[in-house]
Amino acid sequence: MTAQPTHDHLVTDRSLLSTKAYGTGRHLAARQSLYQWQTPRHDLPGIVVNELADVRGVVADVGCGNGKFVTRVREDRPDLKLLPMDVSHGILSALPGAVVADVQQLPLADGALGAVLALHMLYHVEDQAQAVRELGRVLAPGGIAIVSTNSRRDKRELEQLWRQAAGDVLGVREGPARVQLSARFTLEDAPAILGTVFGEIRTIPLPGVIEVTDAEPVVAHLASYEAWADRMGVPFLETIERARERVDETIQAEGAFRVTCLGGMLVCR
Ligand SMILES: C[S@@+](CC[C@H](N)C(=O)[O-])C[C@H]1O[C@@H](n2cnc3c(N)ncnc32)[C@H](O)[C@@H]1O
């Protein structure tokens, strides 16, 4: 049996993350926007605001990206002091008060926070055990960490689409898998990793189905992996154009292209 290629070092490469991947919010926004075609719609920032109901004081959003959560929490909870943090200086440019920081070594005193957010970011971290220790260290007694990621079953149709399109380009039945971001920290694995520090972990599952009748949002999602384009073992743009044709064919035949999603939030104490 041939081993599946692992892309771990590419997914955690800090210089790549802070430039090509997240030097701006462009690629992240393309991935976030696909969810507008999901049923049911989950108001993720709203869920975070609810979970923060009993929290007071300072809240850090570590790996905050383009600030989707920071902006909403600031609006809904002006009493909290929000601290946006990310390893990418570029993506923080529009966020007042943001700090360049790595979750593996937070520039915060022990017990400084009422809550810490680490949303869709721990899969990018090389030493996850150290990152989780840091999340625990900076929380005051009774504080909470809110973490999110995807299931290993999430968006399987997109992985399949990529492999088929890559296969078409290469003239083989199935091409190589694309870089899979959340595979390093899945919803299934997260409780054990977080459980080394936190005694109580509640998972909020967020299932849904994305249904598009135009290929563009799916194409934009695939194109958002551009940072890893030269490491996929297949011509990137050609594969995307072939994927577009395949999505168009499915839409013509079935009326829509569907993608099954399973994400989740983990509230840790
Ligand atoms: C997929 S984005 C998620 C952004 C945001 N939390 C959200 O859910 O919309 C991952 C973010 O984590 C940041 N990141 C990656 N590794 C990090 C680290 N070690 N410490 C802090 N931030 C990191 C990236 O630069 C990127 O902005």
Side-chain angles (χ1 to χ4, degrees), residues 52-53 55-58 73-82:
L52 293 177
V55 171
R56 304 283 176 269
V58 187
V73 178
R74 277 181 170 159
E75 270 168 28
D76 289 10
R77 288 291 307 274
D79 59 308
L80 294 174
K81 179 175 163 38
L82 253 286

Side-chain angles (χ1 to χ4, degrees), residues 56-162:
R56 304 283 176 269
V58 187
V59 175
D61 183 353
V62 185
C64 64
N66 54 8
K68 177 178 157 175
F69 291 84
V70 171
T71 306
R72 175 70 174 276
V73 178
R74 277 181 170 159
E75 270 168 28
D76 289 10
R77 288 291 307 274
D79 59 308
L80 294 174
K81 179 175 163 38
L82 253 286
L83 194 51
M85 295 181 150
D86 202 286
V87 284
S88 169
H89 177 263
I91 208 165
L92 294 173
S93 56
L95 280 177
V99 173
V100 175
D102 188 326
V103 67
Q104 296 162 108
Q105 199 176 3
L106 290 170
L108 294 168
D110 296 1
L113 304 178
V116 63
L117 315 180
L119 304 170
H120 276 74
M121 61 79 65
L122 282 173
Y123 44 76
H124 282 308
V125 177
E126 192 172 338
D127 188 345
Q128 291 171 357
Q130 168 62 15
V132 174
R133 278 194 295 275
E134 279 293 88
L135 296 180
R137 181 186 66 77
V138 295
L139 284 178
I144 59 169
I146 306 179
V147 173
S148 67
T149 190
N150 294 327
S151 162
R152 61 172 73 104
R153 288 184 280 137
D154 180 63
K155 301 192 197 67
R156 280 229 169 121
E157 296 89 343
L158 285 192
E159 307 311 329
Q160 187 61 13
L161 171 67
W162 181 267

Side-chain angles (χ1 to χ4, degrees), residues 223-243:
S224 77
Y225 282 62
E226 189 186 0
W228 296 279
D230 55 347
R231 313 306 288 263
M232 302 245 205
V234 67
F236 186 70
L237 294 178
E238 217 181 308
T239 302
I240 286 179
E241 282 317 305
R242 180 59 196 135

Side-chain angles (χ1 to χ4, degrees), residues 196-223:
T196 57
V197 168
F198 297 100
E200 187 191 320
I201 297 161
R202 178 167 46 88
T203 300
I204 305 171
L206 301 165
V209 177
I210 289 168
E211 192 170 294
V212 293
T213 52
D214 173 355
E216 197 47 47
V218 168
V219 168
H221 188 283
L222 296 178

